[in-house]
Amino acid sequence: MFDNYQFTAAERFLRYVQVDTQSDPQSNTFPTTEKQKDLSKILVTELKQIGLSDAHADDWGYVYATIPSNTDKNVPVICFCAHVDTAPDCSGTGVKPLVHANYQGQDIVLPDDHSQVLRINDYPYLRTQLGNDIITASGTTLLGSDDKAGVAEIMDMANYLMSHKKVKHGTIKILFTPDEEVGKGTAKVNLEKLGADFGYTLDGGEAGSLEDETFSADGVQVVIHGVIAHPGYAKGKMVNAMKIVGEILAALPKDRLSPESTDGKRGFIHPVRLEGIAEKCTIEFIIRDFETDGLKKKEDYLRTQIEERMRTYPKASFEFNVTEQYRNMKEILDQHPQVVEYAKEAIQRAGLNLKMESIRGGTDGSRLSFMGLPCPNLFAGEQAIHSKLEFISVQDMNKAVETMVNLVQVCEERS
Ligand SMILES: [Zn+2]
């Protein structure tokens, strides 16, 4: 089917990564950085060139476009979604992408910082990439495959479908979002306008992987109120909130329930921020578990630990405030099993080994799923993300395009 097709994903990707779209967690504007719109504008222009006449960007930097249906069948509307921003963890200014054609397993030394070396022993996924064309940055920046790979692949999927009208499909919606990396990617999205029945984020790693599960997540803010007095005359009066906090943190288990001691399906209680004076201290925790019920158990455990420490200080008091952050998308996807089934079939038709994965984090897909758009995460080929050694292969990008084209056909066939 793709024999004579000249894939455009890599060519687009090499251009998009040179546009600085880093988002900013400290910013209160939306999008958090105006420069993200630079890429949104380019994408709208190119979508129109491909033939998607309704392509447009809104004031927030979201890009919407439609590939019209070319079938008589009544097919659900599928959305493909990717984010234009790159992570604040690593510079995204002046990205110089390099193509290492026909990779043979050698060390790849990045030219602008020779201490940055991509080695097969450190990144075993490279063993699957022999003979492929690997793209890296030059050593001083991230590459931005997270998620410009997803963006470029969706663009190429649109290009393929618009130039191969014999491939039957229903209406397909394209959505590019800003600010995913700072947790605001869905803040201003208009799902009514989008009008899709379900969707897929293109924002994963290894070719063939499909993520249908994320953490469920709460935040807990604990405020400890001590009792303040002049330190010269404080005997029997003062209760120092900072010392209580020290005891609470020391009481947390060392060998379990923490990010540094867990992996796989185990969740954790993680203090992320501490602020205070002798009179009053605030600790922020994040609570994570794949089971939403498990969050409550961890919160009860944390509260019990605090109550026990507080018993020694009857004059002190505490507040315990839980806020919901996001929920495991599987709770929604299980109600719409065809969404994951179509993706599995599409991956297998692309000749890939299906690899189901759980994300120890959240995605825009988890938020979209609970907003009414069931949305698992498909692979995009991203590797070593948020780092200067980030890499991706041209061949994995093309497989992602192929998977999307298969997916829209599976959906049409089953309708
Ligand atoms: Zn991403």
Side-chain angles (χ1 to χ4, degrees), residues 83 146-147 180-181 203 382 386:
H83 63 91
D146 176 11
D147 185 20
E180 191 268 357
E181 297 289 358
D203 194 12
E382 306 161 20
H386 301 198

Side-chain angles (χ1 to χ4, degrees), residues 51 55 65 97 144 146 168 171 188 191 202 249 251 279-280 287 311 332 367:
D146 176 11
K168 294 291 175 204
T171 304
K188 305 277 187 189
L191 289 187
L202 266 283
L249 295 179
E279 187 180 12
K280 178 184 158 187
I287 315 291
R311 224 172 278 153
I332 300 295
R367 291 180 184 88

Side-chain angles (χ1 to χ4, degrees), residues 348-397:
Q348 279 155 353
R349 283 191 193 181
L352 298 166
N353 292 323
L354 174 68
K355 200 173 169 210
M356 297 304 294
E357 286 181 2
S358 308
I359 311 171
R360 287 176 61 82
T363 64
D364 272 359
S366 21
R367 291 180 184 88
L368 289 170
S369 293
F370 283 87
M371 288 165 75
L373 186 76
C375 198
N377 189 33
L378 274 175
F379 73 92
E382 306 161 20
Q383 296 293 326
I385 56 171
H386 301 198
S387 82
K388 292 174 184 170
L389 290 175
E390 192 180 348
F391 67 95
I392 189 166
S393 77
V394 174
Q395 286 74 10
D396 279 3
M397 295 185 76

Side-chain angles (χ1 to χ4, degrees), residues 31-206:
T32 60
T33 53
E34 199 62 19
K35 61 189 176 187
Q36 294 177 64
K37 291 184 180 173
D38 296 346
L39 182 54
S40 299
K41 281 181 206 140
I42 294 170
L43 296 172
V44 169
T45 307
E46 294 186 14
L47 286 164
K48 285 186 170 161
Q49 282 164 359
I50 291 171
L52 310 193
S53 53
D54 73 335
H56 66 282
D58 68 10
D59 291 346
W60 314 113
Y62 289 81
V63 175
Y64 298 83
T66 311
I67 305 173
S69 168
N70 64 3
T71 173
D72 298 333
K73 288 187 182 174
N74 188 12
V75 181
V77 179
I78 301 183
C79 170
F80 291 107
C81 173
H83 63 91
V84 297
D85 65 315
T86 59
D89 324 20
C90 185
S91 170
T93 307
V95 174
K96 284 192 267 171
L98 302 166
V99 182
H100 311 270
N102 189 15
Y103 171 67
Q104 291 299 322
Q106 73 277 20
D107 289 356
I108 298 178
V109 181
L110 301 185
D112 291 344
D113 178 353
H114 289 180
S115 71
Q116 299 291 334
V117 184
L118 192 56
R119 293 185 180 90
I120 205 162
N121 283 338
D122 299 337
Y123 295 94
Y125 185 67
L126 282 169
R127 290 186 206 287
T128 68
Q129 299 293 321
L130 300 179
N132 285 353
D133 307 312
I134 306 287
I135 306 174
T136 65
S138 63
T140 55
T141 66
L142 50 62
L143 174 62
S145 71
D146 176 11
D147 185 20
K148 287 166 181 165
V151 172
E153 289 155 7
I154 292 171
M155 293 295 288
D156 193 27
M157 176 273 303
N159 183 59
Y160 181 88
L161 291 179
M162 292 303 282
S163 55
H164 294 75
K165 296 285 171 72
K166 280 186 188 153
V167 176
K168 294 291 175 204
H169 56 81
T171 304
I172 299 158
K173 296 286 180 173
I174 291 173
L175 173 66
F176 296 128
T177 62
D179 285 333
E180 191 268 357
E181 297 289 358
V182 294
K184 295 178 180 170
T186 59
K188 305 277 187 189
V189 71
N190 186 339
L191 289 187
E192 211 168 307
K193 173 165 117 175
L194 185 70
D197 294 301
F198 53 86
Y200 301 88
T201 48
L202 266 283
D203 194 12
E206 186 164 331

